[in-house]
Amino acid sequence: MSLICLKDIRKVYHVDKEKIVALGRISFSIEQGEICCVLGTSGSGKSTLLNIMAGLEKPSKGSITIDGMNVTDYSEKQWALFRQKYIGFVFQSYNLLPTLTAVENVAVPLMFKGIKKKERTKSAVHMLKMVRLGNRLMHKPTQMSGGQQQRVGIARAFVARPRIVFADEPTGNLDSKTSREVMELMVAMAKKYKETLIIVTHDTEIAKYADRIITIHDGSVQNDERNESILKSPENLEEKIV
């Protein structure tokens, strides 16, 4: 059974008297453990699609099923609880809390799960060491580079072992070298823990890291194809993380 199943998803916005179709009858499924890229230019509808899959927006029509559960009509409270249990996020702008240290930022998802402070700190430290930030545990975001902040964001996304990690333009604020490092790290983490990674980007170079590329254009699926990831060797992937 597919982990995520979208059926005839449609999203329409009404601005004054104008009707804007952001998504028009999109259907596809994503399997557990798949590294999937949703590729599209600005305005293509890819971010709206991510928001619907993550429960941040409701579709105008259609249905979405995750892990066999129909989540289409979930309330905001139900979605919030669902995200805590199943979903992790990596953001373009990192979204770290500026007053918290790296350890405290990574531990936040575990706090919402009710895990005791000692245990969540231990898990956060372990994750930060995995992403090679063992020497930045007590640093705050302003004391770290963009690449380091994004690695903190990756550790935070994976610390609670979610079924799905959404990465929204995860390299948008990074240079090309750091972008490669971040992508290699995210793919390695997803493969290690057999988690589903969904990357939303406009960058065709970033799409090359995925096992599958779904191209969105004008709110519709233009292409859906398998891809031979440029990171396909399990041995090489293990070298990316401690």
Side-chain angles (χ1 to χ4, degrees), residues 6-239:
L6 304 181
K7 185 175 180 182
D8 294 332
I9 291 294
R10 181 174 171 84
K11 181 65 177 180
V12 178
Y13 296 102
H14 294 276
V15 181
D16 295 327
K17 294 182 179 180
E18 185 179 3
K19 182 172 73 173
I20 299 172
V21 179
L23 298 174
R25 298 182 67 85
I26 285 183
S27 300
F28 61 78
S29 298
I30 297 175
E31 303 300 317
Q32 174 66 40
E34 195 167 26
I35 310 295
C36 181
C37 177
V38 178
L39 178 67
T41 57
S42 177
S44 62
K46 64 185 186 300
S47 294
T48 301
L49 184 59
L50 179 149
N51 289 342
I52 287 174
M53 285 192 284
L56 301 173
E57 290 189 53
K58 288 185 176 293
S60 301
K61 290 185 178 180
S63 65
I64 175 169
T65 304
I66 301 178
D67 202 25
M69 294 173 280
N70 189 334
V71 298
T72 313
D73 296 320
Y74 270 18
S75 66
E76 288 186 14
K77 183 177 180 180
Q78 286 175 308
W79 262 116
L81 293 172
F82 188 87
R83 283 191 292 270
Q84 287 178 20
K85 185 176 181 180
Y86 286 96
I87 296 174
F89 290 94
V90 178
F91 302 95
Q92 176 179 347
S93 55
Y94 323 131
N95 282 25
L96 303 180
L97 297 173
T99 60
L100 301 186
T101 64
V103 169
E104 291 168 336
N105 266 289
V106 174
V108 166
L110 301 178
M111 180 178 66
F112 287 122
K113 284 179 171 286
I115 296 173
K116 293 180 179 179
K117 184 177 180 179
K118 184 177 179 180
E119 293 179 33
R120 64 180 187 252
T121 298
K122 182 179 178 180
S123 296
V125 169
H126 174 67
M127 290 299 295
L128 285 166
K129 288 180 177 178
M130 287 185 71
V131 299
R132 295 189 174 90
L133 286 177
N135 60 341
R136 294 286 189 271
L137 300 178
M138 304 310 294
H139 284 59
K140 293 183 178 179
T142 55
Q143 298 171 305
M144 293 182 283
S145 68
Q148 289 168 341
Q149 289 184 66
Q150 194 58 298
R151 279 190 275 166
V152 174
I154 292 168
R156 179 185 57 190
F158 284 92
V159 70
R161 302 290 188 270
R163 297 289 300 278
I164 307 161
V165 172
F166 290 105
D168 188 8
E169 297 283 6
T171 62
N173 291 336
L174 305 175
D175 59 55
S176 57
K177 179 178 181 295
T178 308
S179 293
R180 289 193 299 272
E181 293 172 353
V182 163
M183 289 306 303
E184 290 170 358
L185 184 58
M186 277 200 305
V187 171
M189 296 283 277
K191 292 288 187 182
K192 180 178 179 66
Y193 296 118
K194 298 179 174 59
E195 292 168 334
T196 301
L197 175 61
I198 301 173
I199 306 156
V200 175
T201 185
H202 69 281
D203 191 337
T204 55
E205 291 301 310
I206 297 304
K208 293 177 181 178
Y209 289 86
D211 302 321
R212 176 183 175 194
I213 302 172
I214 299 173
T215 304
I216 304 293
H217 181 71
D218 289 343
S220 298
V221 175
Q222 186 180 54
N223 198 25
D224 186 347
E225 61 184 353
R226 305 301 303 177
N227 178 63
E228 186 174 346
S229 173
I230 58 178
L231 285 180
K232 59 182 180 296
S233 168
E235 294 78 13
N236 291 341
L237 286 173
E238 285 298 320
E239 294 173 3

